[in-house]
Amino acid sequence: MYQTPAPLLWTFDTQRNNKRNLVRGAVFRRAAAVKTLLKTIHSDLNISTMWLLIFLVWLIIWAGGTYWYLFGKPSPFSLESVRPPGPREFDQKKRDKVIKQGFSLDKVPQNLDVIVIGSGIGGLSAGATLAKAGKRVLVLEQHDQAGGCCHTYIEKGFEFDVGLHYIGQLHENSLLRIIFDQLSEGQLEFQELNQHFDTIQIGLGDEKREYTIFSGKTEMKAHLMKQFPDETEAIETFFKIMKVSAKKTHYLATLKLIPQWVSLFLLKSGIANLVSPVFRLSGTCATDLVNTLTSNKDLHVIFSYLFYGVPPKDSSILINALLVHHYKRGAYYPKGGASEIAFHIIRTIQKYGGNCLVRAPVSQILVNEKGAAYGVKVRKGQEEVEVHAPVVVSNCGIFTTFQKLLPPEIQVKHDIQERLNMMKHGRGSFLVFSGFDGTEEELGLVSTNFWLFKNNDMDKSMEDFFALSKEEAPDNIPMMFITMPSSKDPEAKIRHPGKSCMTILTMVKYEWFEEWKDTVVRKRGDEYHDYKMRFANNLFDWACTLFPKIKDKLVFQDVATPLTNMHYLGAQRGAMYSAEHNLDRFHAEAVARNRCNTPVKNLYISGQDVFSCGIAGALHGGLLCASTVLDHIVYIDLLILKKKLKRRKARELAQLAKKKLQ
Ligand SMILES: Cc1cc2nc3c(=O)[nH]c(=O)nc-3n(C[C@H](O)[C@H](O)[C@H](O)COP(=O)(O)OP(=O)(O)OC[C@H]3O[C@@H](n4cnc5c(N)ncnc54)[C@H](O)[C@@H]3O)c2cc1C
């Protein structure tokens, strides 16, 4: 029998034992690994569950907070506050009691919550919204009449509006119409103008081409295509841009309402661009874009004809598209004239315990040692009186607010300077107000506005014009706008029978008039008078080529320069639309940074410097400001109202149809 040698046995045993041990070790290790894995999974599960729970709690808090922020606060607006319009107040003395109430301390309401500086549409809309939300509001106006650009002035039986010639987007149940109804409690009425609301003339003499702009959901585009039959594709694309701009601009406005870091994160990360093209559009140069659509220079002018002092090469396509779109559903004019706007909105502010006082130039915003605004100083004769309130809304422009009204030690602060550096002063306006002895029928005047351009290169002609010397400028005006207020307001015939009026507008450089800046209004001397009349005569002669009958019937003429704007509207450097509407201002990031809050606690900005100029633009500036002060987005309330009104309209139509069938 073969016997296994001992060492071999030992070896074999050892090997077997080793193998067993190895297997056992492996099993142990695997078991340990599984144990560790299970432990890890277990603890991971605990951690995941914990994170899940944290996330759920955060989500619930966030959703609750958002719901409370959006819907938790009572709406300042209601359908019930809108009454049928009352009879128009023609008694000027009664009107003046509302729009020309002079400042004195005894007229300041007790326990003020908010002071608004400046009674333009931006200040009034912010003021009325805050008043309807339960705040006691005082609006202070430096001029002797409230309304800012919405005021009118009456001279020798003629009434001129200074900054409102037509407004769009006021069709039934439009957001803007609902806002005006809420702010005036149903008292403002608007006259829809002719469907043919604008005429554009390009060129002079035999070279002159004339285009007409019609309102109408489909008619505007169709009418344009009829005039440019070879450019249907370009027009189609421009209208698509108009649609996106109009439908999505509220995204841009939202950037001002959500925390700034969130806005900047959305923009910088590119998420915003995934959501909507509007964020890119706002920073796109108008000339660059229209060049990609067509080489037809006349059509380029049509796409940018509503000029606002910035050549298309320096402006945003979004703004140009929005301006054309603004009148797509019709052009309107306030019945009773532009001053009706201030008259009715002030009455709303008064109804809720507030007031609007004129001849109340604010000379300083009061700021306490903690850096918070707590009131204003108002100049009254030689004195300065203080009025206090926990919130100050400034509607007199970003430059006046930050450079003139804040105490000097705050003006120089970095964050104030940073806000100022985002903006430039806009171009000044030049207006010729003419009054005629004769009715519109006799003189051939119409409610349609006229936009005249000497050539079809807006970029070059604006650049060349603004580069001219003071001497050369009056004889080389490249463009102008003509409007006839007396033909727009159906009640003008009642208020001023047998008379008609015309306003001509162009844009000029402040520097051409600067040497007279320290002279007194209406006493600026012969040299100033002669200089401004050179502009005025050229503009008026140009207008006479369109309306030859007016020349012999001219019985009144007044001319306003940037210095006039500075005096009556408190506009820095006589700027027509306050800060310049250049491309930089409309880059989405700049939009997000230029908000109603300011680096000074309790001080807010309202009006045209918040988003854009225009009655609608400045009014939205007021509503964005009120939303910021209330920490509640009032647009949600307005959208809910809009839905209710649409449902009501649908019910009415259904009932009418039912009746017809019976
Ligand atoms: C000539 C012209 C024509 C226009 N045409 C149209 C048009 O047809 N359609 C349209 O939609 N828009 C038009 N606009 C633009 C529109 O009128 C304005 O963009 C808008 O009304 C500005 O409103 P706002 O409230 O921001 O400012 P503003 O109306 O300028 O109000 C600012 C107010 O602040 C006051 N103020 C200034 N400093 C002080 C101070 N220290 N203390 C107290 N008060 C102060 C001023 O006196 C003024 O009343 C036109 C503008 C101009 C100038």
Side-chain angles (χ1 to χ4, degrees):
M1 196 177 149
Y2 175 76
Q3 288 248 319
T4 318
L8 213 66
L9 249 181
W10 179 86
T11 317
F12 184 64
D13 270 0
T14 314
Q15 276 178 343
R16 242 190 2 210
N17 279 346
N18 278 352
K19 217 174 182 181
R20 210 178 289 146
N21 282 347
L22 270 175
V23 170
R24 207 179 289 152
V27 169
F28 275 137
R29 270 201 305 278
R30 210 167 286 168
V34 169
K35 225 171 165 181
T36 320
L37 186 74
L38 282 174
K39 242 185 185 171
T40 319
I41 289 174
H42 193 67
S43 68
D44 267 7
L45 262 180
N46 275 347
I47 291 170
S48 309
T49 318
M50 191 180 78
W51 279 115
L52 193 71
L53 271 173
I54 290 174
F55 175 70
L56 278 175
V57 171
W58 175 81
L59 193 71
I60 291 168
I61 294 172
W62 179 80
T66 308
Y67 183 84
W68 181 82
Y69 178 60
L70 296 179
F71 306 106
K73 292 188 183 165
S75 164
F77 306 125
S78 71
L79 290 185
E80 295 69 39
S81 67
V82 177
R83 313 179 302 277
R88 186 100 44 240
E89 184 54 83
F90 287 110
D91 184 340
Q92 197 56 44
K93 279 195 182 139
K94 286 190 183 158
R95 295 181 69 80
D96 289 352
K97 274 193 178 157
V98 178
I99 53 178
K100 289 191 176 177
Q101 203 188 154
F103 174 80
S104 67
L105 273 179
D106 58 306
K107 291 182 197 151
V108 171
Q110 296 289 304
N111 304 320
L112 278 181
D113 293 308
V114 182
I115 292 170
V116 179
I117 310 169
S119 67
I121 185 65
L124 292 177
S125 57
T129 306
L130 292 168
K132 291 185 84 159
K135 307 281 178 203
R136 193 154 292 188
V137 175
L138 173 67
V139 182
L140 295 170
E141 168 57 46
Q142 57 102 29
H143 187 25
D144 65 5
Q145 186 178 337
C149 288
C150 295
H151 85 266
T152 61
Y153 85 100
I154 303 172
E155 195 87 42
K156 306 219 161 60
F158 296 99
E159 185 171 3
F160 297 97
D161 40 25
V162 298
L164 188 167
H165 307 303
Y166 53 154
I167 319 177
Q169 286 171 312
L170 284 171
H171 51 281
E172 193 183 1
N173 289 344
S174 67
L175 189 67
L176 194 59
R177 185 60 169 261
I178 294 170
I179 298 172
F180 270 121
D181 280 348
Q182 288 298 320
L183 299 180
S184 72
E185 307 220 314
Q187 301 311 294
L188 267 173
E189 293 181 277
F190 294 93
Q191 174 70 34
E192 185 167 3
L193 303 178
N194 282 343
Q195 189 180 26
H196 167 196
F197 65 93
D198 272 344
T199 293
I200 299 160
Q201 281 191 0
I202 304 172
L204 296 170
D206 296 343
E207 297 281 291
K208 194 164 68 190
R209 284 92 64 201
E210 186 169 289
Y211 303 100
T212 53
I213 308 292
F214 276 29
S215 59
K217 215 172 175 178
T218 54
E219 292 89 331
M220 186 183 246
K221 186 168 73 183
H223 186 69
L224 214 50
M225 285 182 171
K226 233 192 260 170
Q227 297 172 85
F228 292 92
D230 300 332
E231 299 290 346
T232 52
E233 212 176 302
I235 295 171
E236 192 67 64
T237 314
F238 187 76
F239 272 72
K240 274 188 193 143
I241 293 170
M242 273 166 57
K243 195 170 177 180
V244 172
S245 307
K247 289 219 151 153
K248 304 292 178 199
T249 291
H250 64 277
Y251 286 173
L252 282 166
T254 307
L255 293 176
K256 296 175 186 290
L257 292 173
I258 58 178
Q260 185 168 313
W261 68 268
V262 180
S263 300
L264 294 179
F265 167 73
L266 293 174
L267 294 169
K268 285 183 191 234
S269 63
I271 297 173
N273 286 335
L274 294 177
V275 174
S276 169
V278 79
F279 299 101
R280 259 202 215 113
L281 260 186
S282 65
T284 303
C285 160
T287 297
D288 287 353
L289 198 132
V290 298
N291 276 340
T292 65
L293 303 183
T294 172
S295 55
N296 187 318
K297 297 289 277 178
D298 280 8
L299 195 52
H300 285 185
V301 174
I302 308 287
F303 291 156
S304 298
Y305 78 95
L306 293 136
F307 61 76
Y308 48 88
V310 190
K313 70 182 174 61
D314 297 327
S315 48
S316 157
I317 186 67
L318 177 105
I319 295 300
N320 293 9
L322 276 179
L323 284 173
V324 180
H325 182 274
H326 187 56
Y327 299 106
K328 191 171 162 197
R329 298 294 298 276
Y332 293 80
Y333 191 78
K335 282 188 189 169
S339 69
E340 281 287 287
I341 293 181
F343 180 68
H344 290 296
I345 301 182
I346 291 171
R347 293 227 287 207
T348 304
I349 294 173
Q350 288 172 337
K351 180 178 160 187
Y352 293 91
N355 209 353
C356 173
L357 301 174
V358 303
R359 295 192 295 281
V362 169
S363 54
Q364 198 182 329
I365 294 168
L366 299 166
V367 180
N368 63 22
E369 63 286 353
K370 287 185 185 151
Y374 67 96
V376 296
K377 271 187 191 167
V378 181
R379 233 188 5 258
K380 181 147 176 61
Q382 299 305 312
E383 287 172 48
E384 282 190 319
V385 288
E386 289 194 4
V387 185
H388 295 175
V391 168
V392 176
V393 167
S394 180
N395 189 66
C396 57
I398 200 146
F399 294 108
T400 302
T401 310
F402 289 167
Q403 289 179 327
K404 285 185 91 180
L405 300 186
L406 282 178
E409 66 278 13
I410 297 190
Q411 283 178 28
V412 293
K413 285 196 168 174
H414 172 73
D415 25 14
I416 297 280
Q417 289 303 315
E418 207 175 45
R419 283 285 296 265
L420 278 170
N421 289 340
M422 288 169 58
M423 302 283 206
K424 271 184 175 171
H425 292 279
R427 291 285 180 216
S429 61
F430 188 98
L431 293 126
V432 184
F433 302 106
S434 306
F436 311 108
D437 203 0
T439 63
E440 58 172 329
E441 293 81 10
E442 286 162 359
L443 301 175
L445 301 180
V446 283
S447 71
T448 306
N449 305 299
F450 287 78
W451 296 83
L452 312 190
F453 298 85
K454 282 194 180 150
N455 66 60
N456 63 8
D457 191 340
M458 281 179 77
D459 279 335
K460 186 172 176 334
S461 55
M462 285 176 90
E463 201 171 51
D464 288 353
F465 181 56
F466 292 128
L468 292 177
S469 69
K470 176 186 162 232
E471 246 336 280
E472 296 163 318
D475 302 322
N476 292 288
I477 305 163
M479 53 181 72
M480 73 170 183
F481 168 72
I482 307 175
T483 177
M484 278 69 65
S486 52
S487 303
K488 291 180 180 172
D489 177 11
E491 291 166 10
K493 290 185 183 72
I494 309 171
R495 297 201 311 277
H496 313 287
K499 295 187 190 269
S500 304
C501 55
M502 172 185 277
T503 305
I504 305 173
L505 162 72
T506 196
M507 312 225 38
V508 289
K509 244 167 99 169
Y510 167 73
E511 287 80 353
W512 294 330
F513 300 87
E514 196 172 13
E515 66 181 87
W516 296 286
K517 72 176 184 338
D518 297 322
T519 55
V520 178
V521 69
R522 297 211 173 265
K523 291 180 193 147
R524 298 194 197 274
D526 292 344
E527 244 185 81
Y528 169 78
H529 179 264
D530 294 346
Y531 183 61
K532 72 175 185 179
M533 285 316 289
R534 281 179 60 198
F535 280 95
N537 292 336
N538 282 325
L539 291 167
F540 189 70
D541 288 347
W542 195 359
C544 287
T545 62
L546 267 86
F547 304 99
K549 290 183 189 162
I550 58 174
K551 199 154 197 160
D552 297 335
K553 296 288 177 180
L554 180 71
V555 289
F556 171 81
Q557 201 164 60
D558 211 355
V559 177
T561 72
L563 302 186
T564 322
N565 252 7
M566 282 172 76
H567 179 82
Y568 292 108
L569 292 174
Q572 290 292 304
R573 297 169 67 89
M576 180 165 166
Y577 298 130
S578 198
E580 189 174 84
H581 286 47
N582 55 35
L583 189 56
D584 287 346
R585 173 172 169 177
F586 291 102
H587 274 122
E589 263 190 60
V591 172
R593 288 180 203 273
N594 176 31
R595 38 188 53 227
C596 300
N597 323 59
T598 70
V600 177
K601 199 169 171 243
N602 302 336
L603 172 66
Y604 301 85
I605 298 286
S606 168
Q608 60 191 343
D609 281 350
V610 172
F611 187 77
S612 83
C613 69
I615 300 298
L619 181 145
H620 284 301
L623 289 195
L624 287 168
C625 181
S627 299
T628 312
V629 172
L630 294 170
D631 202 10
H632 168 71
I633 303 176
V634 298
Y635 284 97
I636 305 276
D637 306 321
L638 289 164
L639 289 174
I640 293 172
L641 277 192
K642 187 174 166 149
K643 234 183 186 157
K644 283 186 189 165
L645 283 164
K646 279 198 162 169
R647 256 187 259 135
R648 188 160 85 182
K649 180 82 189 165
R651 270 199 309 273
E652 280 168 10
L653 287 176
Q655 272 168 4
L656 208 74
K658 211 167 150 187
K659 257 189 197 164
K660 270 189 183 166
L661 281 177
Q662 278 165 3

